[in-house]
Amino acid sequence: MQSGNLGARVDRVLEMTVVWVLAASVMGLLTTLFGHFLAPQICIAATLLTGVYAWRVRGGGVPVARVPEWTHLVLLLLVCLFFRLPAFNYVLGGQDEGLYVNIAHYIEHTGGIEVRDTALDKLQGSPFVDRYLSENRHVRASSGPLKGGDFVSGVYIKNPTGDSLSFQFYHLFPVWMALFIGSFGSTFGVYALTFFALLSVLFMYRLALELTDSPRAALIAGLLLAINPLHAFFSKFPVTEVPTLAFSLIGFTYLTRFWSAAPSSRHNRWLLLSMLSFGALFVTRISGFMYIPFFVAMAMAGAVMDQDPVRQRSMQRWVMGVVALYVLSVGYGLHWSHQYSEDIYRSSFERIFPSHWRVELAAVVVIGMLLWWGLTAAVNSGAGRALGKSVMTLARRAIGPIVLVGLVIGTYKVYQLGWTEHFQGDHGLTVVWGLTGSHWRAVRASSLVTLFVYLGPLMPVAFVGWVLRRQDDPRIEFLRFFVAGFFVYIAVLLWVIPYGPYYARYLLSEIVPYMLLFVLVIWSRMPSGYGRHTLSVAMTITLIYSGIVTAGQLGKNESAGLYQSLVKMLSPVDSNDVVLLDVMGPGLPNNSEIKTPIMFTLGLPAVTMSSASLADPSYIAALNARYNDVFVLSPSADTPSGFQLIDSTLIKVWAYQWNHSYPHSIFLRENMNLYLYRLDRPIFPLGHPQGFQAPGAWNQWLASGWSQPESAGVWSNAKYAEIEIDPRALSRIRQGIRLTFRMNGLITAAHPRQRILVKVNGVQVVTRTITYPDSHLLLDVDIPAADLDSTQKIQVAFDLPDAATPKSLGINGDQRLLAIMLESLTASPLDPGGQLSTKPIVPTPIPTKSNPRQR
């Protein structure tokens, strides 16, 4: 009895853990969607809610026969951790795993998922917007209704020229990683995956215990999952399959617990926990629509076959609740991840309904709902119930033949791929993956063969043998139906795994674990004899095979050390600076892989630049005017003009081999130096007017006698104003440089002139007068080559004897002493053969009047 009480307490701890997970999931997701994510507060609030729940359900008993053994749980946790530490802190962009991690970091340091292209915002009003868009956007003509293309891989642009972006994927898994980042530190986000891996193993054990009433069988079920090579790998590789599996196992555990309990021991809270777990699954992974047909079928079967009317009504309400949560998840996805949802729904359902998938899918949903409603209503009569039972019997008998047909179709498709030209027109299979006509490589790339890779040589055979047989226990029969459905899905629709281990993940959340569970449950219910002995041997071989194969992953960490290298390399940069990314060559990491963590993990502005843009001082100057410091990150050791080398870092990218075997070998995918340069001084571009507006790249030249820069330019604010130019910022031209100042004078009919006397390094070089009514002037000042070679700053002074205040002239109340407004400066070579940086821009005509702004 003491052991039973201890087991009941352990079971209560598991229940409270589930409550805490669900509470944190709901609050974490909602606060993220509305831009108020705070990890510590969410964890504390979830703990408080769990305490309230624990107090409300105190004293609720559970059947002692089905409580877990605490020693079993400890063993499972230790085995699970042994094969899953450390997790892969994958920060490179370009692939799902890196994008999830980067979204998590972005959520943690911004509090939400609203993403904007801030560099585009800053460049608005400059002549470089089109260039920026061409180099920082990937626009696809074949995109979805609202999809303009990609900013980087996995970050959509909503409009080709707009600044609004959106992340790919659903957000609950990144929210969980953000909770770990905010609670434990920036490198701990991926351990949210470890947490869900532990949960999935524990609830694999707990579900098996409900189905078998055998702690020994439950322990074996937990071990089969704990040492499974596919589960072990993706417990370290940050994608959503393991959290999805954890939520589904929790949901099925509490559903089974409710269904199995005696009427006096049932608790509706178990149905609520189950329902919310599936709701969490639906906002973790978009493929939740695959569960709904199974649940509707469960409701229809229960309406016909369940002799317990109270339980039958409760199960109907549960299914309706789960369907309602799924509908909410669809609305969530279409609102907060619209482009991604459109893409997934289209690609998923066009395969089944190629012509008008929306209409045809809606018709199927309506027909399904009508059948559910009609069958539920029909069972109220004796004839209707008899008809319903006949239909259910036929459906159960059809499961085995459907599995065999699916197996035959899947095998034939593999034959077509490997030995015929049937799929020659499929770009992915033929061009991208090279599988068409590849003979036995096509076989190895099939989902059916991949099952043997991750389950061992006997478990899939045992499954096919036993899935053909109907089960008397409704719980086991539903499990048979569920696994059979996903088996047919992977055999007929998801029948190719282009390469592993990455794409093998699509087998993890359903078919692999539930196939293991199904065979284990069949074994536990078999009487002693040859059949049970044979299955015992099969499971023993599976455990040994899994242990050996999974051990091959130990000590191999994909992308190990990369995060630390990026942090060290970019430590001189802060969020008010900008990192210019030299377009990477054919090697890796490529631009998308590097840009994603710079922007979303480290929170630094980044702009992709072509070689031509990096060599354009006008573009560099425009960026320099808008950021504190400008850096260049490049694989080239050649220092860009005007920059200085800050640091170089060796970047190593480790990766698992892409093949059709289990993950066991890693290789050095990239071993390269990246160089960080900082802009020492911007080079004034030849032939391109540069403004003195706010912000302006050259406003530091305004030494004295100037007001604050305005949107149109900068006013002199004294009878003497001076500009100081660092000659190193000017291009070397053998006969010198001509500076053309574009300006406007403060003149009126009563004050009709502004005299301007210009000196260069104390030597008067030009005198000009602005005379009413023409207020504009282009003033040329020649700088000799000797001054360009000097180490002293070039001083250009303006004597302005006619400066006056707008107030004294009756213009407005401005009391500044104004004479001229500098709008822009253009540099050009005195030597007609001098080399321009790019084709010069001829200054446009100047408006005839420019008054100081109203003050």
Side-chain angles (χ1 to χ4, degrees):
M1 180 62 69
Q2 289 181 348
S3 175
N5 290 336
L6 180 58
R9 288 197 291 272
V10 170
D11 218 29
R12 184 174 175 84
V13 170
L14 287 179
E15 183 176 343
M16 296 307 116
T17 301
V18 169
V19 173
W20 187 87
V21 167
L22 294 175
S25 297
V26 172
M27 289 187 291
L29 183 60
L30 288 177
T31 55
T32 297
L33 296 180
F34 293 102
H36 299 289
F37 176 88
L38 293 169
Q41 284 70 22
I42 291 168
C43 293
I44 293 169
T47 303
L48 292 173
L49 286 177
T50 303
V52 172
Y53 177 93
W55 182 79
R56 290 293 302 271
V57 302
R58 65 192 185 282
V62 295
V64 175
R66 293 199 193 101
V67 295
E69 299 279 349
W70 72 269
T71 53
H72 290 177
L73 299 184
V74 171
L75 175 62
L76 290 173
L77 290 175
L78 292 176
V79 171
C80 192
L81 289 173
F82 179 82
F83 288 109
R84 286 161 179 79
L85 296 179
F88 303 157
N89 189 23
Y90 201 107
V91 295
L92 283 181
Q95 291 282 0
D96 295 2
E97 60 276 16
L99 185 60
Y100 278 120
V101 173
N102 279 281
I103 296 173
H105 281 280
Y106 185 83
I107 290 171
E108 196 280 328
H109 63 70
T110 68
I113 55 170
E114 182 179 354
V115 195
R116 306 197 80 81
D117 188 348
T118 56
L120 178 60
D121 284 340
K122 286 181 176 290
L123 285 171
Q124 292 295 345
S126 77
F128 303 103
V129 170
D130 288 341
R131 182 186 301 189
Y132 173 85
L133 291 172
S134 68
E135 294 178 346
N136 289 269
R137 300 290 175 94
H138 177 213
V139 179
R140 294 195 296 273
S142 60
S143 301
L146 296 179
K147 182 176 173 182
D150 298 312
F151 177 70
V152 292
S153 296
V155 181
Y156 296 111
I157 57 176
K158 295 183 177 180
N159 183 286
T161 59
D163 65 353
S164 186
L165 310 173
S166 66
F167 287 122
Q168 192 176 347
F169 303 133
Y170 280 7
H171 306 104
L172 185 55
F173 177 48
V175 164
W176 268 99
M177 287 195 286
L179 284 172
F180 273 67
I181 292 170
S183 301
F184 304 111
S186 60
T187 61
F188 284 86
V190 288
Y191 288 94
L193 191 61
T194 309
F195 174 68
F196 279 103
L198 297 175
L199 278 181
S200 65
V201 169
L202 293 179
F203 278 91
M204 179 76 158
Y205 170 93
R206 193 64 188 83
L207 180 56
L209 186 60
E210 284 293 332
L211 293 174
T212 65
D213 287 332
S214 168
R216 176 168 168 257
L219 177 61
I220 295 172
L223 287 172
L224 284 169
L225 188 61
I227 63 176
N228 179 266
L230 190 63
H231 188 274
F233 182 81
F234 286 104
S235 297
K236 298 173 286 189
F237 198 80
V239 286
T240 56
E241 276 67 23
V242 167
T244 298
L245 175 61
F247 283 125
S248 74
L249 285 168
I250 292 170
F252 281 129
T253 295
Y254 285 103
L255 179 65
T256 305
R257 191 170 180 181
F258 177 87
W259 198 95
S260 305
S264 60
S265 301
R266 290 182 196 142
H267 295 286
N268 286 327
R269 71 175 190 267
W270 294 338
L271 287 182
L272 178 62
L273 293 180
S274 173
M275 186 190 307
L276 292 176
S277 296
F278 283 109
L281 182 154
F282 297 150
V283 291
T284 299
R285 199 154 175 259
I286 196 172
S287 59
F289 56 81
M290 299 181 65
Y291 287 73
I292 299 303
F294 295 102
F295 294 151
V296 173
M298 175 196 295
M300 294 168 68
V304 173
M305 308 298 291
D306 198 344
Q307 301 301 313
D308 185 333
V310 176
R311 181 175 63 188
Q312 190 258 3
R313 286 193 297 269
S314 296
M315 294 296 291
Q316 294 291 320
R317 288 193 293 268
W318 178 86
V319 173
M320 287 187 286
V322 170
V323 171
L325 287 177
Y326 174 70
V327 173
L328 284 177
S329 77
V330 172
Y332 146 80
L334 291 174
H335 182 79
W336 276 285
S337 191
H338 180 81
Q339 291 127 308
Y340 171 66
S341 299
E342 284 277 349
D343 283 353
I344 293 298
Y345 290 139
R346 183 176 61 251
S347 62
S348 298
F349 294 114
E350 274 185 345
R351 291 185 294 175
I352 305 172
F353 310 113
S355 55
H356 301 88
W357 69 268
R358 287 184 175 86
V359 175
E360 295 173 26
L361 177 63
V364 170
V365 170
V366 170
I367 292 171
M369 292 298 103
L370 289 175
L371 285 174
W372 180 12
W373 175 81
L375 190 61
T376 303
V379 296
N380 293 323
S381 65
R385 181 172 293 274
L387 178 61
K389 288 183 177 180
S390 299
V391 172
M392 290 300 121
T393 300
L394 289 174
R396 293 175 60 200
R397 288 176 178 172
I399 291 176
I402 290 174
V403 168
L404 292 178
V405 170
L407 184 59
V408 170
I409 292 174
T411 303
Y412 182 64
K413 292 178 77 170
V414 173
Y415 163 75
Q416 288 180 307
L417 177 63
W419 281 271
T420 74
E421 297 182 354
H422 181 78
F423 292 100
Q424 194 67 43
D426 189 301
H427 179 78
L429 295 176
T430 304
V431 178
V432 178
W433 310 118
L435 293 173
T436 302
S438 63
H439 300 294
W440 290 105
R441 193 162 70 88
V443 176
R444 293 195 299 273
S446 68
S447 297
L448 294 172
V449 170
T450 305
L451 282 179
F452 286 91
V453 171
Y454 290 103
L455 290 172
L458 299 177
M459 197 61 75
V461 176
F463 163 75
V464 172
W466 281 99
V467 79
L468 304 178
R469 306 185 183 186
R470 287 177 289 166
Q471 303 297 315
D472 294 332
D473 188 329
R475 303 171 305 170
I476 314 304
E477 185 69 349
F478 176 78
L479 178 60
R480 169 177 170 257
F481 169 54
F482 184 77
V483 185
F486 278 99
F487 180 82
V488 173
Y489 168 71
I490 67 109
V492 177
L493 294 177
L494 191 68
W495 59 283
V496 172
I497 303 295
Y499 65 83
Y502 180 78
Y503 283 105
R505 66 193 179 110
Y506 297 122
L507 307 179
L508 174 58
S509 50
E510 288 90 18
I511 186 63
V512 165
Y514 287 106
M515 182 181 287
L516 289 171
L517 181 62
F518 176 73
V519 175
L520 180 282
V521 170
I522 294 298
W523 168 81
S524 71
R525 299 169 64 86
M526 293 176 67
S528 300
Y530 177 76
R532 183 182 176 92
H533 177 72
T534 302
L535 269 187
S536 297
V537 171
M539 287 192 296
T540 301
I541 291 174
T542 300
L543 285 168
I544 295 172
Y545 171 85
S546 298
I548 294 172
V549 168
T550 304
Q553 301 175 23
L554 296 175
K556 301 179 179 72
N557 192 331
E558 184 153 333
S559 294
L562 185 59
Y563 172 80
Q564 289 77 9
S565 296
L566 288 175
V567 170
K568 174 180 177 295
M569 178 175 60
L570 294 168
S571 58
V573 188
D574 66 34
S575 59
N576 294 313
D577 304 328
V578 65
V579 179
L580 310 183
L581 295 172
D582 186 3
V583 173
M584 307 295 179
L588 295 171
N590 62 36
N591 179 62
S592 186
E593 286 183 306
I594 289 292
K595 188 173 184 177
T596 302
I598 289 175
M599 293 190 65
F600 302 116
T601 290
L602 303 181
L604 304 174
V607 176
T608 301
M609 305 282 280
S610 65
S611 298
S613 291
L614 277 175
D616 185 349
S618 183
Y619 192 12
I620 299 296
L623 290 166
N624 184 52
R626 290 159 172 81
Y627 294 95
N628 287 354
D629 277 316
V630 176
F631 294 84
V632 167
L633 185 62
S634 172
S636 173
D638 297 329
T639 304
S641 177
F643 288 80
Q644 62 176 344
L645 178 65
I646 299 299
D647 195 10
S648 67
T649 300
L650 181 64
I651 297 293
K652 293 186 176 182
V653 181
W654 293 93
Y656 273 85
Q657 292 281 359
W658 292 3
N659 52 40
H660 299 294
S661 181
Y662 46 82
H664 62 282
S665 176
I666 63 172
F667 70 103
L668 191 58
R669 194 186 79 176
E670 190 56 56
N671 187 24
M672 67 183 296
N673 280 303
L674 288 181
Y675 299 88
L676 184 68
Y677 305 97
R678 177 161 40 201
L679 183 64
D680 183 26
R681 56 190 176 277
I683 304 300
F684 198 92
L686 292 177
H688 292 260
Q690 299 295 296
F692 288 100
Q693 297 85 4
W698 313 103
N699 291 343
Q700 70 270 23
W701 289 1
L702 303 172
S704 62
W706 302 99
S707 186
Q708 290 296 318
E710 303 173 13
S711 59
V714 60
W715 281 99
S716 61
N717 191 19
K719 289 183 177 290
Y720 180 87
E722 192 172 90
I723 289 176
E724 291 186 347
I725 301 174
D726 186 342
R728 296 174 298 173
L730 298 175
S731 300
R732 295 293 186 269
I733 302 296
R734 64 179 180 268
Q735 292 187 7
I737 281 182
R738 172 165 293 160
L739 302 180
T740 301
F741 291 91
R742 172 175 168 164
M743 60 180 66
N744 279 286
L746 178 64
I747 55 175
T748 66
H751 187 74
R753 70 175 183 175
Q754 286 287 349
R755 290 169 292 170
I756 307 165
L757 291 77
V758 182
K759 297 177 182 179
V760 176
N761 294 332
V763 178
Q764 184 168 324
V765 295
V766 66
T767 300
R768 297 289 299 275
T769 301
I770 303 175
T771 305
Y772 182 82
D774 188 2
S775 67
H776 74 275
L777 177 68
L778 291 176
L779 187 150
D780 292 336
V781 177
D782 294 344
I783 308 297
D787 288 344
L788 297 178
D789 295 330
S790 172
T791 59
Q792 301 298 318
K793 289 188 175 181
I794 301 170
Q795 295 179 334
V796 181
F798 299 87
D799 281 323
L800 306 166
D802 301 316
T805 65
K807 183 176 181 180
S808 68
L809 300 178
I811 298 174
N812 55 37
D814 192 342
Q815 298 189 50
R816 291 177 297 166
L817 192 61
L818 308 183
I820 57 173
M821 169 182 272
L822 293 185
E823 292 186 350
S824 67
L825 173 62
T826 304
S828 56
L830 282 174
D831 177 6
Q835 182 63 44
L836 294 178
S837 57
T838 56
K839 184 179 179 181
I841 298 176
V842 178
T844 56
I846 305 173
T848 58
K849 185 174 182 180
S850 176
N851 285 328
R853 68 181 182 183
Q854 186 71 33
R855 291 234 171 190

